[in-house]
Amino acid sequence: MKKIKVLIFIYQMGGGGAARTLLNIINNLDRSKFSPVLVTLNYNGSYEKELQDDVVFIKLPTKRLSRSIWSLAKIIRSEEIDIVFSTIPRVNTIAIFAKVLSFSKARSVIREADNLGGGLITNLQLLGFGMVYKFSNQIVSLSEGVKENLVRRYKVKPSDIKVVYNPVDLYRIKEKIKTEKDIKDKYKTLFETEDKIIVSAGRLVEQKDHKTLLKAFSKVNAQVKSRLILLGEGPLKNQLVEEAEKLNVADRVHFIGFQNNPYVFFKKADVFVLSSKHEGFSHVIAEALATGVPVVSTDCKSGPAEVLNKGEYGELCEVGNVEDMTEKILHILTLDKEQVTEIVSNGYERANYFDAKVIVKRYEEIFLQALNQ
């Protein structure tokens, strides 16, 4: 039987959640039915080395998304692609245009990954994306909240959207946890302490609202001696360092940048905290649960409440509310061992719900349905 060729298009295989999700989908596709082709712009991404050896990987000769349409269209035609799959609005738009201009029989499946919205200009842009999305064969939303946003802001019909949660590669996480050597010597000393360890991971950008986390941490530390480890890079690092200094906790806050293996850090922590203003799904929360660490997250639109099932599998706090976040973190840090063990056990159970082996089968069904339209 001829394998179905799926072209996956993304800006770059960098360290963000979208790239990690696509990595999990690519590596877990059933190779007896599907043949993956990954196409990115001309950037080097940290997840490239984790791709399966049989993935056809093509980098376009440009770093400009707007200049990639014709090159992508040629690949769709020359590689005889059956499904063009993409994520993130601007990338989705280019993928749809390229599919149309390829004059091929390829089908387009796009994935919406965040709960976007804002001022007049931003909302008009989303309406524009929604108009282009109508030329795709299937729209996938990674949460019910993102689906509601697609209907409200993009004016997409609910019947045109399928909700599929992010796949979490539980096997890969377990294997990576075993490799503690990935914690470099300079970081190992962070865990050689009686202090409680709080970990957070995400780009140092406004969306992740690390300022609220730092303020909450300063209050937590005043009651329970703690260390805050921040994984991730971004333009706000200097501002956040200054904020930590103002709060007199600079010696207890550790910015360690992007880590190829964040799971060993999660595993050693007493609590994982997400302070975001908005998310699509919050892949990192599901991954944290899979490592066996209790979770505190903002109840932002639209992923955390779905991942944690309205607080059943982790603590939810109000977005931007320092006092609420402080209270929820302290609650976790002051639990006894039996209570922590129960939370960890429940977290493992919830993580299994997002197992890549299960979720990717849903994507496979969607690809097959798109082909039969």
Side-chain angles (χ1 to χ4, degrees):
M1 186 181 79
K2 181 181 177 293
K3 291 183 181 181
I4 297 166
K5 275 195 169 183
V6 181
L7 185 152
I8 298 95
F9 182 47
I10 188 172
Y11 195 84
Q12 64 173 316
M13 286 301 285
R20 190 161 66 252
T21 295
L22 293 191
L23 174 71
N24 290 342
I25 293 172
I26 292 167
N27 284 348
N28 286 280
L29 278 174
D30 184 347
R31 294 305 198 266
S32 69
K33 298 176 183 176
F34 299 91
S35 178
V37 177
L38 174 63
V39 180
T40 72
L41 300 185
N42 193 22
Y43 290 99
N44 294 321
S46 52
Y47 290 132
E48 290 177 12
K49 60 181 176 296
E50 297 191 40
L51 291 164
Q52 299 283 3
D53 293 337
D54 64 347
V55 178
V56 176
F57 185 19
I58 302 170
K59 285 189 181 182
L60 300 179
T62 180
K63 292 186 176 181
R64 296 283 296 276
L65 192 59
S66 59
R67 295 179 181 175
S68 67
I69 297 178
W70 287 108
S71 297
L72 184 59
K74 288 178 182 177
I75 292 171
I76 293 170
R77 191 161 189 84
S78 64
E79 292 287 334
E80 298 180 341
I81 298 299
D82 297 298
I83 297 288
V84 178
F85 178 53
S86 59
T87 189
I88 305 173
R90 287 181 175 79
V91 178
N92 288 338
T93 301
I94 295 299
I96 291 169
F97 285 147
K99 190 269 291 186
V100 171
L101 294 173
S102 71
F103 298 103
S104 71
K105 294 181 180 180
R107 297 290 190 268
S108 172
V109 177
I110 60 171
R111 171 181 174 272
E112 187 62 38
D114 202 352
N115 205 310
L116 300 174
L120 177 63
I121 294 176
T122 298
N123 289 334
L124 285 174
Q125 286 178 331
L126 298 184
L127 275 175
F129 291 138
M131 292 176 66
V132 177
Y133 282 11
K134 292 173 184 177
F135 290 93
S136 67
N137 297 95
Q138 184 60 62
I139 301 170
V140 176
S141 162
L142 81 170
S143 69
E144 291 291 345
V146 169
K147 177 179 178 177
E148 291 172 9
N149 197 54
L150 278 166
V151 173
R152 182 162 58 94
R153 295 188 188 276
Y154 294 62
K155 304 306 178 186
V156 175
K157 294 179 182 177
S159 57
D160 292 340
I161 307 167
K162 293 184 186 296
V163 175
V164 184
Y165 289 131
N166 273 0
V168 177
D169 197 332
L170 299 182
Y171 175 78
R172 173 173 163 266
I173 289 173
K174 288 175 184 175
E175 290 301 302
K176 288 220 163 194
I177 286 174
K178 292 177 184 177
T179 58
E180 264 191 51
K181 58 182 176 52
D182 283 357
I183 294 186
K184 298 175 182 177
D185 290 339
K186 63 179 177 179
Y187 300 137
K188 285 181 180 177
T189 56
L190 294 177
F191 300 96
E192 296 170 355
T193 177
E194 295 297 318
D195 296 344
K196 296 292 185 179
I197 302 295
I198 302 167
V199 167
S200 186
R203 278 182 48 75
L204 306 180
V205 293
E206 191 66 32
Q207 175 199 345
K208 303 300 182 180
D209 195 14
H210 289 98
K211 281 193 175 182
T212 294
L213 174 56
L214 286 172
K215 290 174 183 176
F217 171 72
S218 70
K219 291 179 176 291
V220 168
N221 182 62
Q223 297 187 53
V224 177
K225 288 303 177 186
S226 309
R227 295 183 182 185
L228 174 62
I229 300 175
L230 296 174
L231 285 70
E233 298 170 347
L236 297 186
K237 181 179 177 180
N238 290 340
Q239 289 183 33
L240 295 172
V241 170
E242 289 177 7
E243 183 70 19
E245 290 172 350
K246 288 179 186 176
L247 294 166
N248 296 316
V249 290
D251 61 329
R252 292 189 163 271
V253 178
H254 306 273
F255 295 85
I256 65 173
F258 173 79
Q259 299 294 319
N260 282 315
N261 186 355
Y263 313 116
V264 288
F265 292 89
F266 295 0
K267 182 69 177 178
K268 285 180 170 292
D270 294 291
V271 62
F272 177 90
V273 182
L274 184 83
S275 52
S276 295
K277 294 180 178 180
H278 63 87
E279 291 283 345
F281 171 77
S282 193
H283 195 102
V284 72
I285 290 180
E287 290 186 323
L289 293 176
T291 67
V293 61
V295 169
V296 172
S297 173
T298 50
D299 189 11
C300 65
K301 293 185 178 180
S302 54
E306 289 184 53
V307 177
L308 299 175
N309 197 27
K310 299 180 180 178
E312 182 181 356
Y313 297 98
E315 297 285 341
L316 291 167
C317 60
E318 185 181 354
V319 174
N321 189 323
V322 175
E323 298 299 331
D324 195 15
M325 184 178 291
T326 301
E327 180 185 331
K328 297 299 167 55
I329 294 172
L330 283 171
H331 171 68
I332 295 293
L333 295 183
T334 53
L335 292 174
D336 62 38
K337 287 186 178 180
E338 282 189 13
Q339 291 172 310
V340 172
T341 299
E342 183 178 357
I343 288 174
V344 168
S345 178
N346 290 339
Y348 283 134
E349 178 186 324
R350 184 58 173 170
N352 283 320
Y353 188 83
F354 308 107
D355 189 355
K357 295 185 184 304
V358 176
I359 300 295
V360 173
K361 284 191 184 335
R362 181 74 178 115
Y363 273 104
E364 292 174 355
E365 292 169 2
I366 287 171
F367 295 156
L368 290 170
Q369 289 167 4
L371 279 177
N372 292 326
Q373 285 184 3

